[in-house]
């Protein structure tokens, strides 16, 4: 039964369109909506709107519903519309009268905001932790390749001497920074929207929203109530922006590895388990995994655009448009998590070829060093030293 059903006829095609994939995406929100509903019931009880017995029955009922969902015993169907409806209907089915009391002072509009924010907080923490593992794997690569030199490139032209360690530690450091960025991106998800109800508060009910703020580990109660719906999409955008920066670093790392593993460069050997063959050319070992990481690294960026576009120019208050933010949010985080997982698997297998890398360390890489030497040893100005070295290289036809 739809929560808003008033016994009037409905059109199935229209209903199905309005639900879209929400019933599938909401599977990720079930545990969070249950946590939030338990906190809400507790708040209702503490504010005198729910008896201790009813609160207990609700808490118990919701916990069981959460467990049975985790065990795969039920699913959200298109007829349920969303997780909020599915959970509340089940609660009434299972505990009867008390279940009908849980929706006092809230709306699905603040429920979805709350569940999504709890989801974002966890998703960013998990992603940050996994990102740090990739950073340490790169640090390990740096340590086990400590004495392998590598040309440093600008404009994809040989520039200055570098090393595998410097290359790898640069990425490790940026990934650590991305992990920090992911954690900081939780800021907007730390405000509790629950109890803002449809967007205008719980009318004359004397509810204490700080109770659910504390119970759910939010940092503050979002005030005033009208701010809550205006903020939908912003915590999402911030999370996906942080994921975009991470994905971009992984894409650039993958891009380097594609280049370094060509016959022309030959700096990196990819283990056969990470390469794929060609259906026509028997000799091929292709770096498809890194090409796909590079390609998919733009997904969070495009999802971010979608999120921003949906909310831009929308009038204030809740609109069903906002439902469409869920997919780009969840997709961006899922794809970024995949990239992190696959890079964590691949990096320990990467071997640099000392011989090829050393052969690539030609004189040109040391031109700047040579000019500095003239400054330090002969007291020349840098500009004169620069010209002198430039001439040496010109004479050599380089
Ligand atoms: N699935 C909806 C969403 O994500 C839940 C809120 C529904 N509220 C409403 N007034 N129709 O936005």
């Amino acid at each position: 039964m739809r929560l808003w059903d008033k016994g009037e006829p409905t059109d199935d095609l229209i209903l199905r369109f309005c639900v879209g994939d929400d019933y599938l995406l909401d599977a990720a929100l079930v545990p969070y909506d249950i946590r939030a509903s338990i906190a809400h019931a507790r708040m209702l009880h503490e504010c005198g709107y729910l008896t201790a017995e009813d609160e207990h029955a609700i808490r118990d009922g919701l916990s069981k519903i959460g467990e049975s969902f985790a065990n795969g015993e039920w699913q959200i169907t298109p007829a349920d519309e969303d997780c909020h409806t599915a959970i509340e209907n089940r609660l009434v089915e299972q505990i009867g009268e008390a279940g009908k009391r849980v929706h006092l002072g809230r709306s699905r509009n603040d429920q979805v905001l709350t569940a999504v924010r709890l989801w974002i907080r966890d998703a960013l923490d998990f992603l940050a932790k996994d990102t740090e593992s990739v950073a340490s794997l790169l640090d390990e690569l740096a340590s086990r390749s400590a004495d392998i030199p590598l040309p440093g490139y600008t404009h994809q032209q040989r520039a200055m001497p570098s090393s595998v360690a410097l290359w790898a530690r640069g990425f490790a450091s940026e990934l650590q920074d991305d992990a920090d960025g992911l954690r900081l991106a939780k800021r907007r998800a730390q405000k509790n929207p629950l109890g803002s109800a449809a967007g205008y508060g719980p009318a004359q009910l004397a509810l204490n929203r700080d109770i659910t703020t504390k119970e759910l580990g939010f940092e503050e109660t979002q005030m005033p109530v009208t701010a809550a719906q205006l903020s939908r999409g912003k915590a999402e955008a911030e999370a996906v922006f942080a994921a975009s920066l991470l994905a971009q670093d992984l894409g650039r790392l993958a891009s380097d590895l594609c280049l370094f593993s060509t016959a022309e460069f030959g700096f990196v050997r990819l283990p056969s388990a990470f390469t794929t063959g060609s259906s026509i050319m028997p000799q091929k070992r292709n770096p498809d995994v890194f090409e796909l990481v590079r390609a998919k690294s733009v997904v969070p960026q495009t999802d971010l655009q979608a999120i921003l576009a949906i909310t831009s120019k929308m009038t204030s208050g809740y609109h069903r448009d906002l439902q469409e933010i869920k997919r780009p949010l969840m997709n961006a985080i899922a794809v970024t998590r995949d990239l992190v997982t696959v890079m964590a698997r691949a990096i320990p297998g990467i071997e640099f070829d000392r011989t090829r890398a050393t052969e690539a360390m030609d004189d040109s890489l040391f031109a700047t060093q040579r000019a500095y030497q003239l400054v330090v040893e002969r007291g020349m100005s840098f500009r004169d030293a620069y010209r002198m070295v430039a001439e040496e290289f010109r004479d050599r036809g380089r």
Side-chain angles (χ1 to χ4, degrees):
M1 164 120 163
R2 277 176 285 279
L3 298 174
W4 45 267
D5 197 316
K6 299 171 196 72
E8 286 156 348
T10 50
D11 182 315
D12 281 343
L13 178 79
I14 303 294
L15 281 179
R16 191 66 189 76
F17 174 77
C18 293
V19 171
D21 285 345
D22 218 37
Y23 72 103
L24 298 170
L25 298 170
D26 269 22
L29 298 181
V30 167
Y32 299 104
D33 193 64
I34 286 183
R35 252 175 77 192
S37 295
I38 290 173
H40 182 74
R42 167 137 188 226
M43 185 273 293
L44 288 178
H45 167 60
E46 285 184 28
C47 296
Y49 293 101
L50 200 62
T51 64
E53 300 83 81
D54 283 351
E55 192 241 336
H56 190 266
I58 289 170
R59 187 177 349 124
D60 212 45
L62 286 170
S63 305
K64 287 191 182 124
I65 290 168
E67 278 162 32
S68 59
F69 185 80
N71 293 336
E73 288 163 33
W74 63 277
Q75 278 150 8
I76 309 165
T77 65
D80 289 324
E81 278 202 315
D82 51 32
C83 68
H84 322 293
T85 310
I87 291 167
E88 192 177 322
N89 282 342
R90 262 192 172 64
L91 186 66
V92 175
E93 241 169 68
Q94 291 176 14
I95 68 168
E97 200 54 30
K100 294 198 236 162
R101 296 179 183 277
V102 73
H103 204 59
L104 182 71
R106 72 174 190 187
S107 151
R108 282 182 301 164
N109 295 357
D110 60 337
Q111 269 187 276
V112 61
L113 273 173
T114 308
V116 166
R117 286 184 192 176
L118 294 175
W119 182 91
I120 288 175
R121 277 163 37 183
D122 276 358
L124 292 179
D125 280 340
F126 291 139
L127 198 53
K129 207 165 146 278
D130 291 350
T131 301
E132 281 168 345
S133 312
V134 179
S136 359
L137 291 169
L138 282 163
D139 278 330
E140 277 164 32
L141 170 64
S143 305
R144 75 183 139 84
S145 320
D147 50 354
I148 305 183
L150 200 65
Y153 294 88
T154 70
H155 311 267
Q156 232 173 72
Q157 307 282 331
R158 285 181 187 168
M160 286 182 69
S162 178
S163 64
V164 173
L166 253 182
W167 173 84
R169 287 199 203 281
F171 278 106
S173 164
E174 277 310 294
L175 289 180
Q176 180 58 57
D177 192 62
D178 293 331
D180 295 344
L182 288 165
R183 293 201 176 93
L184 288 170
K186 287 190 296 182
R187 184 180 71 86
R188 286 190 158 90
Q190 296 286 21
K191 296 183 184 184
N192 180 18
L194 192 58
S196 63
Y200 301 94
Q204 74 273 33
L205 302 180
L207 300 185
N208 181 353
R209 293 177 56 207
D210 293 339
I211 295 173
T212 55
T213 298
K214 191 153 169 274
E215 191 79 8
L216 296 169
F218 283 110
E219 281 171 5
E220 59 186 280
T221 304
Q222 193 165 24
M223 291 290 277
V225 284
T226 41
Q229 292 302 326
L230 278 174
S231 69
R232 187 158 175 197
K234 288 165 90 178
E236 289 90 332
E238 200 164 24
V240 173
F241 174 66
S244 305
L245 294 182
L246 162 62
Q248 196 167 69
D249 281 333
L250 295 174
R252 296 182 73 180
L253 174 61
S255 204
D256 272 5
L257 290 168
C258 290
L259 184 71
F260 290 173
S261 63
T262 57
E264 286 71 15
F265 275 74
F267 297 161
V268 162
R269 277 187 304 263
L270 302 176
S272 55
F274 300 160
T275 57
T276 49
S278 155
S279 61
I280 168 170
M281 299 162 285
Q283 86 286 12
K284 291 298 292 267
R285 275 175 160 227
N286 296 325
D288 295 31
V289 61
F290 298 119
E291 290 170 334
L292 288 169
V293 168
R294 178 169 64 185
K296 285 172 190 276
S297 70
V298 303
V299 169
Q301 269 181 60
T302 57
D303 283 331
L304 176 60
Q305 286 306 319
I307 292 170
L308 295 172
I310 288 164
T311 41
S312 72
K313 303 190 182 68
M314 192 181 282
T315 59
S316 60
Y318 176 84
H319 303 271
R320 192 68 177 265
D321 309 46
L322 295 167
Q323 176 174 294
E324 290 299 297
I325 292 174
K326 244 183 252 177
R327 185 208 310 280
L329 166 69
M330 291 181 175
N331 185 58
I333 300 296
V335 168
T336 310
R337 193 177 288 170
D338 275 357
L339 300 182
V340 169
T341 308
V342 82
M343 289 307 266
R345 178 67 67 89
I347 289 165
I350 291 168
E351 284 298 334
F352 276 76
D353 185 322
R354 181 189 309 275
T355 313
R356 291 294 300 266
T358 310
E359 279 165 10
M361 301 298 289
D362 70 12
D363 275 3
S364 71
L365 291 164
F366 297 90
T368 307
Q369 235 160 281
R370 166 114 182 84
Y372 284 176
Q373 199 177 13
L374 295 174
V375 170
V376 173
E377 288 173 9
R378 298 209 212 150
M380 286 173 82
S381 73
F382 174 69
R383 197 43 63 208
D384 288 345
Y386 173 98
R387 292 221 176 87
M388 188 182 232
V389 176
E391 267 159 39
E392 282 172 28
F393 274 89
R394 200 181 45 222
D395 293 346
R396 284 203 251 159
R398 292 216 48 154

